[in-house]
Amino acid sequence: MAAQLHNHLPPNPPALSAAEWSTARWEDDGGNLAEVRPSTQRGHWLRIAAALSARLPELTGREDILVTCEDGTRSGAPAAFYPTTAQLEIDTALFGPLHPATIRPARPGDEDRYPSAWGAFVHEAAHATHSRWYTPAELRGTAVDVAGQILEESRAEHAHLHRRPGDRRYLRSAVRTLVLTDFTSATPTDRWQAALAAGLLLARRDAGILDPDETQTLEHTLTSILGPHLLQTLAEIWRAAHAASDEDGAAMLAHAHVWCQALGATPTSAPPPPDPTGGRVGELAEAVGKVVAQVQANETAQAEAEAKVAAARTARVQAKANHAAQARQAAKIAEKVFASHGRPFTPGDPGKGRERSPVTGTRAPEAGEKAAAGRLARVLRAASYRERIATVTASAAPPGRLNMRQALARDAQRAAGATPTATPWTRTLHRPTPTPPLRVGIAVDVSGSMHRATAPIASAAWILAKATALTDPDSRTATVAYHRSITAITAPGRIPARVTQFKTKGGGHCLAEAIDALTAGLDLDRPGAGRLLVIASDGYYNPNETARAATRITALRKTGCAVLWLAFAPDPRPLPGTTLLELTDPAQAITAIAQAAATALAITRP
């Protein structure tokens, strides 16, 4: 049997059935609608219809259209628009399998959960906006009427996409709903039905809705049925229809007449009856099904790609937010650690001072430490030194060094009567290059197993702080001791007059917070300075603390900060991303730190 193309241009909607009139009268008389239909379901669909009515003006620019959602439409199509009464109907089945209680069309973006239903809604909105011509009453039901409807399908969508190109994805999702039901396994493969498939799908390809690869199989099938010349003629007709204006009914009917004549049909008669001898039954349904399947496959792939991009974008935004939150938390920790005047800061402890400080007192620096600070200052100054930048400029007038070849060229240009372009004078300008400052943070583990490191690190902290103060006023260092709490040994921007001594305490570690304090206090995560983080520890932490500290180290390494791990006992467990240096003699700590600091300065670009 012939496919039934749903009519979008009837003069009036179909008459209400007797049951519908009874329901309406019962409701007008104050009857209980729940006796006719469950109130909960009906209430949800009324809400959805109201929301769709509110969204429709953004699609059509019209505010006079009423949307209704019912179990089936009066025209029998999945969706229908009645221009004479400004009504738009949508079959509730299009929203399946979603429960109506979860459907919220009033929320922009909710339509992505039911793209096929929204695509049918957009399709009818396209008719509401652009289908403004009518088939004369005497031609209703004729071949020219059906041909005009075929051409209007893609023409309305083509015009809609010019206004709202973002709706393409929804129209594509609705292809199955709008087209596939027109072809069944009983559809004969005759010329009229083949032209219908071409007008519904190949015309949508030329309208920019479908892609060429999606219709390639169907085009081969239709070419074998219609022949290349007839198919080309039909394509020229629908492309001309795409260029017609919304109100130009005369042009559309003229195109429909040419369509019928090309197919050998009488325009003013009924459409040609099915021809069961025209070819294999169901061949068109199979070809159309492949188009729909390819469209769905492409849409699924596109949705997956968009989901990956969205997930990556969300991850970047979340990472940025996490980084900002981490920076704020680190700044708070640094403020508490370096403003505590030697009092320990315990992360997560409301008392902020229950742990006893590992600091045992101070002493005057020894002569060897003073000499070491002077030597380190010279090394750092040498590492931070940058050659002056030489810029050579050429000019037509002095000052500068005279280039005889250019001078002769200038004289020759003058003798020839030409405007001189030679530049015989060259000048070299030397500009000083700013020296980068140094940022060095030392975190020393003062758990019970690190007793050998306390004395050499205390000495190294003073030497480093003194040397950087002698090198560059913008350079800063800091040292913290950590176990369950964090204690400042030296603070950024403060030149210690005496060596602060400390001892080991019990177990426990808070290396992550110690790194936060040094990072925020010294700007270890900001380029433009020679940056070095030194961790003196055996690395015997619980898995949770290891993971948290490793995250901080990885983030620092990504910004270009070097991380040195000093170990003073056999079998250390340095964290990933650090450079391990095992010292058999703890006194070598300052030498190792000095070399690492000088290297960090030397490779820094100001």
Side-chain angles (χ1 to χ4, degrees), residues 141-181:
T142 62
V144 72
D145 181 27
V146 175
Q149 294 178 44
I150 295 173
L151 296 173
E152 183 63 19
E153 289 288 280
S154 61
R155 191 205 71 84
E157 292 187 1
H158 179 262
H160 181 86
L161 284 187
H162 272 76
R163 293 187 301 109
R164 294 177 56 85
D167 287 339
R168 179 178 184 265
R169 55 173 301 193
Y170 302 112
L171 292 174
R172 288 169 56 80
S173 297
V175 167
R176 179 184 182 89
T177 301
L178 300 174
V179 176
L180 190 60
T181 54

Side-chain angles (χ1 to χ4, degrees), residues 517-535:
L518 292 171
T519 299
L522 297 170
D523 294 332
L524 293 181
D525 56 349
R526 296 186 181 180
R531 294 165 292 142
L532 173 66
L533 172 64
V534 180
I535 302 173

Side-chain angles (χ1 to χ4, degrees), residues 137-222:
E138 64 273 14
L139 295 178
R140 292 300 175 92
T142 62
V144 72
D145 181 27
V146 175
Q149 294 178 44
I150 295 173
L151 296 173
E152 183 63 19
E153 289 288 280
S154 61
R155 191 205 71 84
E157 292 187 1
H158 179 262
H160 181 86
L161 284 187
H162 272 76
R163 293 187 301 109
R164 294 177 56 85
D167 287 339
R168 179 178 184 265
R169 55 173 301 193
Y170 302 112
L171 292 174
R172 288 169 56 80
S173 297
V175 167
R176 179 184 182 89
T177 301
L178 300 174
V179 176
L180 190 60
T181 54
D182 291 329
F183 300 90
T184 67
S185 59
T187 302
T189 310
D190 58 30
R191 287 158 56 91
W192 185 263
Q193 296 300 321
L196 172 62
L200 293 179
L201 290 170
L202 298 188
R204 278 184 166 91
R205 174 202 61 191
D206 293 345
I209 297 161
L210 302 181
D211 295 329
D213 67 302
E214 296 164 344
T215 59
Q216 187 173 11
T217 301
L218 175 64
E219 186 173 11
H220 290 326
T221 301
L222 296 179

Side-chain angles (χ1 to χ4, degrees), residues 439-457:
R439 306 279 191 267
V440 179
I442 302 176
V444 56
D445 179 4
V446 291
S447 59
S449 59
M450 290 293 296
H451 63 279
R452 297 180 61 211
T454 56
I457 294 298

Side-chain angles (χ1 to χ4, degrees), residues 55-56 68 101 128 148 150-151 178 212 220 229 232 253 276 293 313 324 353 369 379 439-440 443 451 465 509 546 583:
R55 293 283 305 271
L56 192 57
T68 59
I150 295 173
L151 296 173
L178 300 174
H220 290 326
H229 297 295
Q232 179 62 29
L253 287 176
R313 185 184 302 111
E369 293 170 330
V379 171
R439 306 279 191 267
V440 179
H451 63 279
H509 304 89
T546 298
L583 301 178

